[in-house]
Amino acid sequence: MDNNNKAFMVGQWKVEPGLNKISCPDNQVMLVPKVMAILLALVKGKGEPLNLETLMASVWQQQVVSDSSVYQAIAQLRKALGDTAAEPTYIQRVSGKGYRLIAQVKALPTLTNQTKTATDTQTMAARVVSQLSPSKFEKNWLANWRFWLVAIFVTVVISMLSFYKPWQAPELQTSPLSIAQINSISFQRLATENIGQSTKLDGLNDVLLTQLMQIKQMRVVSLSQKSSSPNTQAVIKGRIHKQDNNIRVFLQLVQVDSQEVIWARVFNGEINDLFALQDTIVETLLALFKRQQTLPAFKSALIDNRNFDQYLLARHLWQQRNAPALYRAKSIYEKMQQQQALFPLAAVGLCDTYHYLHIYADWSFEQALNKCRPLLQQALAQQPNLGQAIAAQAMLLNNQGKKVQAEKLFEKAIKLTPNYPFAYMWYAEMIRGMGKYKQGLSMIKTAYALAPMSPMINRSLAYAYLNAGDRAQARFYYRRALDLQRDYTNRAIEELDFLPLTIERARAFLLWAKKYPSIMRKQRSYQLTQAQIELALGKFDEVVATLANLKGQQVNPSFKLFIQTSLAAAQGRYHDVIAFIEQRIAIHQDSARYAGSYLSVLYQMGDDEKAYKAFLRLRPELARNILNPEPQGEQTVTANNRYKLIYFVQLQARRGKMKLVSDLAQQLDNSFAKRATSKNIYYARWLLFRKQKEKAKTMMLSMMNDGWLPDYSAEFSPEAIMKQLFIDVGLGDKTYQALLKRNRAQVLAGFN
């Protein structure tokens, strides 16, 4: 085993160091060189534990690496061998001493020994044959069946020994991912160690990500340190370490599928020259991938070290997404501006800060717009093709109502910087604002693929699903956004768009509105949300006043029509409801989206024949499956179609056609029995319809005791439906009014 390239056995595995390959009868694995070197070092240790320093010196020699490099190599070797740390059969960790090989190591038979074995076998065969009598054989060869049996047997044995080598594995060709094959990478935010007050080092993450986004023909995804498995071929990960004035950046390129380290490097720099450090890292990565940037994100001629350090600190503060940190970032950027040191990306950073002050603090959009416009003009004068600046300019134009110009700039920004997620997000929000919900959803999904850990993009994706009518997905991504940013300022108001309205949530909104009156004034859409709360509290006059105040103002027309629709439904003006729904259909050119509301108002009006014809027209596929089922088939009941089927069954019953849907009604009963269902007025109405009066009554009282309020964003005409249910189960209108009044009073307690 002195020859490092000589093959040998470790346990059941044949090891071929020269090929970086290990194999067994049913598998073959290619190892990266460092992992093979770890295995050879353990073999040379002959069962004795080797500490981390010994393994580093043996494998990495003069390179400076961290302990994690050894741990990762050991983990990869264990995975290749099918070994585990909990129950090791190959590699054992000895506490305080290191790692040792516990599997048996054996040399393979040499070619000389193999030849000798075959020769001896042939000699033996000849001897056996010679023992047979030639004279007898010649006289009666048919009778010498034993001769033929032995001869055939010997021939087979010789053939097997000559051609079959049990230690060789099947020729399976698997190999690690080649760097040349990589066209998608994730950048996982680098951990920071021992940085103390040097928070600008955390901003180095944003700089490296910005640089990577510029790489041509490479999809680059941004991840946090705690991200799950990336959806790219490889991931760049590592950490930033500070010691005195020295900075060390450890980077690894890891294949996602196999978790093998494809490439690793340590970069050394100084705290006073971080620009040179990031420049070296980027140049190395470009050479590694053999790619170029669409354009350099930072022009060295425009930046000195001090200004770059200030930019890093401001980016770190901007990432905090809270008013105090944003005002500090604003102060740093504006000081750079006064010193005429605001290079293009810093100008974009200051504009981003103004935009965040509009979202997370009390700035109006007009205030942010007036500040941003000259900044972006300055940035584009110095770097005309800076995608980030072009995208920000497009976003501002959209908010000014200049959508045609904005669309052209968004397309240009995406072409120049295809990995910039906010270009897609802002573009998606513009498209959604135009009522193009499907296109908007597709666009924001692209932004999410590039930055899945961004709370802002998760919230935007949640609203895109809400606009598209998929409330379940909308709630999922909104909750995900809250998990990513638990201290989100506007949580109390935006939750109302996704989660059921309760006393607790209504009170939280009123407290929030009292705390942030300036945000309420500047965000007109929030005033419409306030109108939803006023509807739930029965304050119809205040809803009318809110709608009047917004007349002529730039506000989402579909959202405003929704509030008008809800108010008309609450007041029983069902013909006005139909008119408002038809206006929303005209805006979005999507009658299917508003089918539920339209059918509900017809049902509430008691126009059963018109409702039946409308169902056939608006839900043709579902109607066809119900009325013309496949032979021996049943209508599949799902979470998405359950309440649509309930509507049709109850409508048919009112039309005197219950016999036609009796089987479907039974399937719905079975569906409710199998799946847990949240309490709601439509389920209560179904229970009453199916003669389960006591169960319906219990559910309704439970909903009231849990703080039920009429939620017009989730249900059509909830007050009228709940009132009728109380009457039908025998509780009466007075009980309903008393319980609703109690819940509304709990919301308002302490506010009057």
Side-chain angles (χ1 to χ4, degrees), residues 455-724:
M456 191 180 295
I457 287 175
N458 273 266
R459 283 195 298 273
S460 187
L461 180 58
Y463 274 104
Y465 273 116
L466 190 66
N467 291 152
D470 192 338
R471 186 168 288 272
Q473 285 287 78
R475 286 176 175 172
F476 172 82
Y477 284 104
Y478 188 74
R479 285 192 174 108
R480 192 171 190 275
L482 293 179
D483 287 339
L484 292 167
Q485 188 181 8
R486 294 184 178 277
D487 59 347
Y488 178 48
T489 306
N490 298 344
R491 174 175 184 162
I493 186 166
E494 290 185 359
E495 269 190 343
L496 299 172
D497 293 328
F498 300 95
L499 305 176
L501 181 62
T502 60
I503 292 172
E504 182 183 358
R505 290 197 178 99
R507 280 188 61 80
F509 167 77
L510 294 177
L511 288 168
W512 179 89
K514 187 176 181 180
K515 184 177 180 181
Y516 300 105
S518 59
I519 296 180
M520 283 297 300
R521 286 193 300 271
K522 74 178 183 181
Q523 291 280 19
R524 298 185 185 100
S525 62
Y526 288 176
Q527 295 173 41
L528 290 174
T529 302
Q530 184 173 22
Q532 287 181 262
I533 298 296
E534 290 164 348
L535 274 172
L537 297 176
K539 297 184 175 184
F540 298 162
D541 291 342
E542 293 184 23
V543 178
V544 172
T546 298
L547 290 170
N549 290 335
L550 291 172
K551 190 174 182 179
Q553 301 289 327
Q554 187 176 349
V555 67
N556 186 321
S558 184
F559 192 6
K560 185 178 178 181
L561 279 168
F562 166 72
I563 298 299
Q564 291 173 311
T565 305
S566 300
L567 176 62
Q571 295 175 329
R573 296 183 287 112
Y574 295 127
H575 289 289
D576 288 343
V577 170
I578 291 175
F580 289 135
I581 291 173
E582 287 173 347
Q583 289 182 54
R584 295 186 81 189
I585 290 172
I587 291 174
H588 302 291
Q589 296 296 305
D590 186 2
S591 58
R593 172 176 169 73
Y594 299 104
S597 299
Y598 184 70
L599 292 169
S600 293
V601 70
L602 292 177
Y603 188 94
Q604 203 68 19
M605 292 170 68
D607 197 340
D608 298 337
E609 290 307 313
K610 190 173 181 179
Y612 177 73
K613 291 176 182 177
F615 190 94
L616 299 182
R617 184 180 76 253
L618 296 171
R619 303 199 191 280
E621 186 175 350
L622 188 61
R624 186 168 55 251
N625 291 339
I626 296 171
L627 299 174
N628 302 294
E630 294 292 328
Q632 298 179 343
E634 291 184 345
Q635 170 64 45
T636 302
V637 178
T638 67
N640 289 330
N641 70 11
R642 179 190 287 171
Y643 289 102
K644 297 172 186 175
L645 296 174
I646 283 177
Y647 176 93
F648 189 76
V649 169
Q650 292 176 328
L651 180 62
Q652 288 290 73
R654 290 202 336 189
R655 295 178 65 238
K657 307 286 186 180
M658 186 62 197
K659 286 185 178 180
L660 298 176
V661 289
S662 58
D663 290 343
L664 179 56
Q666 186 59 52
Q667 291 172 42
L668 285 163
D669 287 339
N670 295 339
S671 171
F672 282 118
K674 290 177 182 177
R675 299 190 189 102
T677 304
S678 59
K679 293 175 285 188
N680 63 78
I681 57 176
Y682 297 122
Y683 186 24
R685 187 160 68 176
W686 175 257
L687 290 172
L688 185 61
F689 174 75
R690 299 297 283 171
K691 312 300 183 187
Q692 299 183 55
K693 184 176 178 179
E694 289 304 315
K695 191 172 180 180
K697 184 190 296 186
T698 301
M699 177 181 291
M700 290 152 53
L701 290 172
S702 174
M703 289 169 65
M704 280 296 189
N705 290 330
D706 289 342
W708 182 86
L709 292 168
D711 187 354
Y712 285 85
S713 66
E715 297 149 341
F716 175 82
S717 198
E719 279 193 77
I721 295 173
M722 184 65 104
K723 176 181 176 180
Q724 190 61 49

Side-chain angles (χ1 to χ4, degrees), residues 323-339:
L326 289 170
Y327 276 112
R328 285 182 61 199
K330 169 181 171 292
S331 176
I332 292 168
Y333 280 130
E334 289 181 342
K335 189 173 182 180
M336 292 174 66
Q337 187 179 28
Q338 292 167 7
Q339 297 169 348

Side-chain angles (χ1 to χ4, degrees), residues 391 394-395 406-414 423 426-427 430:
M395 183 264 293
E407 185 172 11
K408 290 179 180 178
L409 288 183
F410 276 131
E411 294 287 350
K412 183 179 179 180
I414 287 170
W426 292 329
Y427 196 5
M430 184 186 86

